[in-house]
């Protein structure tokens, strides 16, 4: 199994669920993580990543970490200073239309969104609300483009788009697609030579459907145009995703693998969870399992069954531990104070 990994955590793209998979794998195999200084949750995002943002990095001692997966704005020459040269690079993308709808609810406090009631209102005159010079502009336009390190307000000429796609292909071994999450997990397992249980997960950091609303077609078209760079990235890598599956796995085997993954997840849900699945934040009984609530979204979580044996309880708890709590736990473990 591959143990040196760079995961570019793209906002609002099921990346918290992927991070949980990496946390569990890293913990099980005693791997080291490139944590933000002081144990924060972001590597000085939205600044471009620098090696010195990582706890325990020093230019003098070329210490390398196994897994880099906290939020960052990608800058490969700096990333290469903190991970082994053999590291596998991957990321996950989401349809920019749904991504922006999610971003609008989650980052309602962002300067571009704070004065509008709806996405339709924002898109009717975006430049009335959107300021390319504001520090949080990226939440409102081409968020994936920004996370990959490019300018979200750059021109959308075919030449520039091609350069951007080529640069991403040169840096990343593969990109997953959040709309095809189970297929993505099978591909991840394949590319990293992991077993099925390593890529099993429960959806984390998802929001209550009461805060979701379908978008009219006119708004969808405006969204695509406004996020044109993201749309180009998404459509290109959605295509290469399926090409890779056809080449490396085949559709028939993919169907079998997805079925096995879903069966295993259903089995774990029956074993671990009270009720049928995720619950509203107010109904989460164990406060240590309550995810961070942000913006106008209601982020769901889970309740574990009582009376599980110790080993099983631990497995189940790890599957539902929200990102911030899990990150803190692993940080304390990795940088435990030395006994005097």
């Amino acid at each position: 199994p591959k143990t040196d990994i760079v995961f570019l955590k793209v906002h609002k793209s099921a990346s918290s669920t992927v991070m949980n998979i990496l946390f569990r794998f890293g913990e099980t195999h005693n791997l080291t993580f490139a944590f933000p200084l002081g144990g924060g949750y972001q590597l000085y995002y939205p600044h471009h990543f620098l090696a010195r943002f990582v706890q325990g990095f020093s230019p003098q001692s070329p210490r390398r970490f196994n897994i880099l997966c906290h939020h960052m704005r990608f800058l490969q020459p700096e990333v290469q200073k903190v991970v082994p040269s053999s590291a596998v690079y991957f990321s996950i993308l989401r349809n920019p239309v749904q991504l922006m709808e999610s971003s609008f609810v989650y980052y309602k406090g962002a300067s571009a969104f704070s004065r509008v009631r709806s996405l339709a209102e924002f898109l009717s005159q975006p430049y009335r609300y959107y300021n390319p010079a504001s520090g949080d502009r990226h939440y409102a336009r081409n968020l994936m483009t920004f996370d990959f390190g490019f300018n979200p307000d750059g021109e959308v000429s075919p030449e520039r788009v091609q350069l951007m796609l080529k640069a991403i292909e040169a840096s990343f071994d593969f990109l997953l697609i959040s709309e095809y999450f189970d297929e993505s997990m099978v591909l991840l397992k394949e590319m990293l030579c992991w077993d099925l249980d390593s890529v099993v997960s429960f959806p984390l950091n998802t929001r209550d459907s009461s805060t979701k609303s379908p978008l009219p077609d006119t708004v969808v078209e405006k969204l695509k145009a406004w996020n044109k760079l993201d749309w180009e990235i998404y459509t290109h890598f959605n295509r290469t995703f399926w090409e890779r599956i056809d080449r490396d796995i085949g559709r028939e085997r993919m169907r079998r693998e997805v079925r096995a993954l879903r069966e295993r997840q259903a089995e774990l849900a029956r074993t671990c969870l009270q009720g049928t699945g995720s619950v509203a934040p107010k109904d989460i009984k164990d406060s240590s399992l309550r995810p961070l609530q942000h913006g106008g979204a209601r982020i769901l979580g889970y309740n574990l069954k009582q009376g599980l044996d110790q080993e099983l309880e631990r497995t189940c708890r790890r599957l539902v531990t929200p990102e911030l709590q899990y990150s803190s736990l692993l940080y304390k473990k990795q940088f435990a104070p030395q006994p005097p």
Side-chain angles (χ1 to χ4, degrees):
K2 304 268 201 308
T3 53
D4 299 325
I5 292 156
V6 174
F7 171 55
L8 178 63
K9 185 177 190 300
V10 170
H11 284 81
K12 314 312 309 155
S13 303
S15 52
S16 294
T17 309
V18 177
M19 210 161 164
N20 177 272
I21 287 169
L22 295 174
F23 281 167
R24 287 185 349 245
F25 187 85
E27 187 180 24
T28 306
H29 295 83
N30 256 334
L31 304 177
T32 56
F33 289 87
F35 283 106
L37 278 174
Y41 306 112
Q42 300 197 336
L43 291 153
Y44 284 80
Y45 187 88
H47 299 285
H48 273 106
F49 176 79
L50 295 174
R52 61 183 170 82
F53 296 163
V54 171
Q55 179 77 42
F57 170 80
S58 103
Q60 288 74 40
S61 75
R63 179 180 180 192
R64 297 282 194 266
F65 300 88
N66 299 114
I67 299 178
L68 172 61
C69 63
H70 285 73
H71 264 312
M72 62 171 162
R73 190 174 181 206
F74 191 66
L75 187 60
Q76 191 164 16
E78 289 290 315
V79 168
Q80 286 168 331
K81 295 176 185 176
V82 300
V83 295
S85 55
S86 59
V88 177
Y89 287 67
F90 78 99
S91 185
I92 188 165
L93 304 174
R94 183 181 183 186
N95 184 313
V97 175
Q98 279 74 47
L99 182 117
M100 183 143 179
E101 188 273 331
S102 178
S103 193
F104 181 77
V105 175
Y106 202 78
Y107 301 111
K108 192 69 184 78
S111 55
F113 294 151
S114 57
R115 307 204 313 279
V116 293
R117 285 186 303 275
S118 66
L119 258 183
E121 187 181 343
F122 171 79
L123 290 161
S124 63
Q125 303 171 276
Y127 282 109
R128 188 177 161 191
Y129 309 107
Y130 176 83
N131 174 5
S134 78
D136 62 0
R137 77 188 194 284
H138 51 285
Y139 293 125
R141 186 176 203 189
N142 290 317
L143 181 50
M144 294 191 289
T145 302
F146 183 87
D147 285 352
F148 276 94
F150 304 103
N151 175 8
D153 295 300
E155 53 151 343
V156 193
S157 66
E159 299 75 30
R160 189 166 179 281
V161 167
Q162 277 313 307
L163 281 172
M164 184 173 71
L165 296 176
K166 290 273 180 290
I168 294 173
E169 282 179 336
S171 300
F172 288 84
D173 295 290
F174 57 101
L175 284 105
L176 307 174
I177 302 289
S178 64
E179 282 78 13
Y180 303 103
F181 192 79
D182 293 342
E183 289 84 353
S184 290
M185 291 307 98
V186 172
L187 184 65
L188 182 68
K189 170 175 93 73
E190 202 66 14
M191 301 305 292
L192 299 178
C193 306
W194 288 7
D195 62 10
L196 183 71
D197 268 15
S198 297
V199 297
V200 164
S201 64
F202 296 146
L204 295 176
N205 207 29
T206 54
R207 66 190 163 113
D208 182 342
S209 56
S210 68
T211 59
K212 297 178 185 174
S213 46
L215 300 168
D217 292 349
T218 49
V219 173
V220 168
E221 290 314 310
K222 282 180 180 167
L223 269 178
K224 287 182 193 171
W226 176 248
N227 294 289
K228 185 80 170 88
L229 292 170
D230 271 11
W231 186 250
E232 293 285 354
I233 291 175
Y234 178 76
T235 49
H236 175 80
F237 287 105
N238 188 9
R239 193 178 64 248
T240 59
F241 174 79
W242 292 103
E243 286 169 1
R244 163 156 274 170
I245 284 170
D246 287 338
R247 191 180 70 232
D248 295 349
I249 301 174
R251 297 285 170 117
E252 187 42 49
R253 187 173 144 226
M254 175 55 89
R255 275 191 286 274
R256 287 200 306 275
E257 296 259 3
V258 165
R259 195 163 55 238
L261 178 67
R262 287 175 181 164
E263 281 166 6
R264 181 68 181 126
Q265 277 166 188
E267 182 190 343
L268 276 165
R270 285 191 299 274
T271 305
C272 295
L273 304 178
Q274 283 183 28
T276 51
S278 52
V279 295
K282 66 175 179 14
D283 299 323
I284 300 168
K285 300 186 180 81
D286 181 341
S287 59
S288 71
L289 296 178
R290 196 170 293 142
L292 172 76
Q293 302 298 314
H294 197 80
R298 281 203 310 193
I299 305 300
L300 304 173
Y302 297 92
N303 286 318
L304 291 179
K305 276 189 177 159
Q306 301 297 301
L308 299 170
D309 73 59
Q310 204 176 352
E311 188 58 30
L312 192 54
E313 209 271 348
R314 184 189 156 83
T315 301
C316 293
R317 178 168 287 273
R318 291 294 187 259
L319 278 161
V320 300
T321 300
E323 180 187 324
L324 304 191
Q325 287 93 311
Y326 208 156
S327 185
S328 296
L329 191 126
L330 292 173
Y331 177 82
K332 287 183 187 123
K333 201 167 150 182
Q334 187 168 311
F335 295 102
Q338 296 306 311

